[in-house]
Amino acid sequence: MKDQLDFMTQSVTSGKMTRREFMGKTAALGISAAVAGSLFSQAAEAAGPVKGGTLKLGSIGGGSTDSLDPAVAASQVPYHNLYQFGETLVNVTPEGGIENRVAESVEASADAKTWTFKIRQGVEFHNGKSVTAEDVMRTMERHSNDDSQSGALGIMRGIESMKTDGDNFIVELTTPNADLPYLMADYHLMIQPDGGFDNPAAGIGSGAYMLEADEPGVRHMWKKNPNYWDDTRGHVDEVEIVVINDATARMAALQSGQVHIANRVEPKVAGLLDRAPNLTVRNAAGPGHYVFIMHCDTAPFDNNELRLALKYAINREEMVDKVLRGYGSVGNDMPVNAAYPLFDDSIPQRPFDPAKAAEHYKKSGHDGSPITLRVSDVAFPGALDAAQLFQQSANAAGIPLELKREPGDGYWSEVWNAQPFCASYWGGRPVQDQMYSTAYLSTADWNDTRFKREDFDKLLFAARGELDEAKRKALYSQMGMMVRDEGGLICPMFNDFIEATSSKVQGWVVDSTGDTMAGKWSHKCWLA
């Protein structure tokens, strides 16, 4: 039987046998469909990329108010759209390194204060215009503008000046920062013609795919860019992103073949789905975290005693067990974990302590009226279940938590970063400087807890300029403790990224840096 099986797998690898033929012949040998499917996938992978076809993603996180403007992308569908048409100067690799993209090379001065990005020649925008250093600088200028409301605004605050010199884009920092390339990989910073000043939502970039249909809240179609500079990426003819916010409907679309990939698989169905024929569940642990966020400048959450009461009133272990079901780990009310290279694992873990929660609640002087937590299925998989567990454990401490279920459409524009207490998620960032600069720097547009502390900002700037790793780690530890004990973040758990794919999807790479191969699924995958 082994000789027959070897012959068949070699036939698949050489393109001489289809999946249907392979499955039929292996069934005749008494091999189960699950094992045969795995063998076929391995053989197809060995054959290398197959060109052509339409690759379809069923994605949560899309709404009728979505835009193709990179500055305002705040949920999964806009995030994935950006990676179809756009490219950043560099990418973060699945291993946590830096890969040059629009930038051909990156060099720093000895003190890491001056950075030079040499722009790759032969890269074209979809409108036929060559990408220049001037386009790069204009892109960075737009994201530095308060009016842009860019999610990268906190990152840009550290830049003192920018200029071009021929093919070079040169950045002068206010303070040295050895992590600057990681910051330039932020998905908001997609390079656009003239920085996108004329029409930021045009969907024109230098990426592997060009806009074909844009129906916010419904679907987005992209066709292969015939002039794309990198022939190792972008294997399919078309990409379709279908908005399916409901988890059950998203999994049904995958199982029926309506889509090839489904993101945000709920942990409670991941095991069952992985046993389904012709499907594979993919998971990657990393910096992503599911959270409840309070505005530190809005009553009653402007009272740190109340914030501490709520932090002690959440049972993290129970939530990880019942919501994540093994696909994640316990959080500690700070946005960093062991996925970050300078994480301080000696910081004490905050326990669930109803007595202490009740003590802080009494000290807060709260009037006993219901505290409203807004939640939606689109916040994160299992968000409603997590909120109900939170409500139960808070009630045990005498804290009257009231849940308000919000519609998914409009959640990221009307609730998140707008209402004072809601469920949310963060995909995390490759380095602590980027995470803190994006969401905790006082001037960051995405400071969704309204944590605005001058002493914290000073620590952040000091850490950027500190090239001694031990000293830098100590600064980050101090910042983490400050957010943990005085901030508006309740972080009960760090989640795995969980996706499911059809067996037709080949080339999948485990990438813990972001949702669905950090947005690169359509770049690197192909259809068998």
Side-chain angles (χ1 to χ4, degrees):
M1 185 175 76
K2 183 179 182 303
D3 289 343
Q4 290 173 288
L5 197 57
D6 287 344
F7 174 77
M8 286 189 290
T9 54
Q10 289 170 11
S11 297
V12 171
T13 300
S14 62
K16 297 177 180 177
M17 184 177 291
T18 66
R19 176 182 177 81
R20 183 185 296 276
E21 291 170 333
F22 183 83
M23 298 300 286
K25 290 179 181 295
T26 51
L29 294 175
I31 297 172
S32 71
V35 172
S38 177
L39 291 172
F40 178 86
S41 294
Q42 293 172 21
E45 291 273 3
V50 174
K51 303 295 183 180
T54 301
L55 182 60
K56 301 179 182 181
L57 168 71
S59 180
I60 192 175
S64 58
T65 59
D66 288 346
S67 168
L68 295 179
D69 180 359
V72 299
S75 57
Q76 289 91 342
V77 170
Y79 169 82
H80 288 297
N81 278 329
L82 297 190
Y83 278 110
Q84 306 316 308
F85 75 83
E87 286 191 298
T88 49
L89 286 170
V90 296
N91 283 169
V92 178
T93 68
E95 299 75 30
I98 290 293
E99 175 191 29
N100 295 328
R101 298 306 297 168
V102 173
E104 184 178 71
S105 64
V106 182
E107 294 183 1
S109 59
D111 63 358
K113 193 174 180 181
T114 303
W115 289 81
T116 301
F117 298 83
K118 184 178 181 181
I119 305 309
R120 190 183 300 275
Q121 297 301 293
V123 180
E124 289 185 2
F125 289 119
H126 300 158
N127 60 9
K129 180 183 178 296
S130 295
V131 178
T132 67
E134 185 69 25
D135 292 309
V136 174
M137 188 172 76
R138 291 284 285 167
T139 296
M140 301 305 165
E141 286 175 346
R142 190 170 78 85
H143 290 274
S144 305
N145 187 338
D146 288 346
D147 294 337
S148 72
Q149 299 182 320
S150 175
L153 188 59
I155 293 170
M156 305 308 292
R157 296 291 191 196
I159 296 178
E160 184 174 290
S161 64
M162 299 178 286
K163 66 178 181 180
T164 62
D165 181 9
D167 295 332
N168 295 323
F169 168 60
I170 303 169
V171 175
E172 187 75 25
L173 301 178
T174 306
T175 57
N177 191 345
D179 289 337
L180 182 70
Y182 288 93
L183 308 189
M184 293 292 103
D186 187 281
Y187 63 89
H188 298 96
L189 300 178
M190 298 292 174
I191 309 304
Q192 294 178 278
D194 194 37
F197 276 97
D198 292 336
N199 187 358
I204 295 176
S206 61
Y209 299 99
M210 304 169 67
L211 183 62
E212 196 169 14
D214 181 31
E215 302 174 36
V218 182
R219 67 170 194 140
H220 306 269
M221 286 290 298
W222 305 88
K223 60 183 178 182
K224 185 172 176 58
N225 175 8
N227 297 321
Y228 187 51
W229 64 272
D230 186 353
D231 59 8
T232 68
R233 290 193 178 189
H235 306 298
V236 297
D237 293 332
E238 289 185 313
V239 172
E240 182 175 8
I241 299 172
V242 184
V243 179
I244 314 176
N245 287 321
D246 180 78
T248 301
R250 199 162 58 256
M251 297 310 114
L254 177 68
Q255 290 175 299
S256 68
Q258 180 186 347
V259 298
H260 302 109
I261 304 170
N263 65 359
R264 283 293 188 91
V265 174
E266 293 189 322
K268 65 183 179 183
V269 303
L272 182 64
L273 201 64
D274 200 34
R275 293 195 293 272
N278 303 329
L279 296 181
T280 302
V281 170
R282 322 272 189 167
N283 68 291
H289 44 294
Y290 296 158
V291 299
F292 301 102
I293 52 176
M294 305 172 282
H295 288 181
C296 296
D297 62 357
T298 305
F301 310 106
D302 54 352
N303 185 322
N304 194 44
E305 292 293 343
L306 181 65
R307 297 199 297 268
L308 285 170
L310 289 165
K311 291 175 183 179
Y312 279 108
I314 194 164
N315 190 329
R316 292 165 176 77
E317 287 79 7
E318 179 185 39
M319 203 168 284
V320 168
D321 289 343
K322 293 183 177 180
V323 176
L324 295 187
R325 305 198 182 198
Y327 291 96
S329 59
V330 171
N332 198 20
D333 298 335
M334 61 181 71
V336 296
N337 64 353
Y340 291 86
L342 297 180
F343 174 68
D344 182 1
D345 58 6
S346 69
I347 295 175
Q349 173 64 51
R350 173 165 285 137
F352 169 51
D353 191 332
K356 207 161 194 175
E359 180 185 338
H360 283 290
Y361 182 67
K362 184 178 180 180
K363 285 182 181 179
S364 76
H366 188 256
D367 61 10
S369 61
I371 298 170
T372 302
L373 170 63
R374 298 170 189 271
V375 65
S376 169
D377 285 325
V378 303
F380 58 81
L384 290 171
D385 293 338
Q388 288 167 356
L389 290 172
F390 190 8
Q391 183 183 46
Q392 292 167 14
S393 59
N395 287 344
I399 301 174
L401 195 60
E402 178 181 76
L403 306 184
K404 183 175 182 181
R405 185 170 182 174
E406 299 281 359
D409 191 20
Y411 188 82
W412 299 110
S413 57
E414 304 298 327
V415 179
W416 174 77
N417 214 7
Q419 297 295 336
F421 193 25
C422 73
S424 186
Y425 82 97
W426 276 91
R429 297 295 188 268
V431 291
Q432 292 193 51
D433 180 72
Q434 188 177 8
M435 188 67 241
Y436 285 131
S437 296
T438 302
Y440 297 89
L441 182 66
S442 295
T443 53
D445 201 58
W446 277 17
N447 187 331
D448 58 5
T449 57
R450 307 296 192 269
F451 179 72
K452 299 180 180 181
R453 293 276 298 268
E454 186 178 344
D455 50 353
F456 179 88
D457 296 348
K458 287 181 178 178
L459 288 172
L460 178 59
F461 297 145
R464 285 178 180 174
E466 181 55 69
L467 301 182
D468 182 289
E469 277 203 358
K471 293 179 180 178
R472 198 177 196 196
K473 181 176 180 178
L475 290 169
Y476 283 140
S477 177
Q478 191 176 346
M479 291 159 61
M481 288 290 288
M482 192 179 292
V483 171
R484 172 185 180 270
D485 295 337
E486 301 171 57
L489 177 71
I490 301 174
C491 179
M493 48 191 168
F494 281 83
N495 61 286
D496 286 5
F497 295 110
I498 314 175
E499 291 92 25
T501 68
S502 157
S503 57
K504 294 181 179 179
V505 176
Q506 305 296 320
W508 190 272
V509 176
V510 175
D511 192 330
S512 63
T513 65
D515 179 278
T516 321
M517 289 178 60
K520 316 303 189 310
W521 54 277
S522 63
H523 291 227
K524 299 180 180 181
C525 292
W526 64 91
L527 293 169

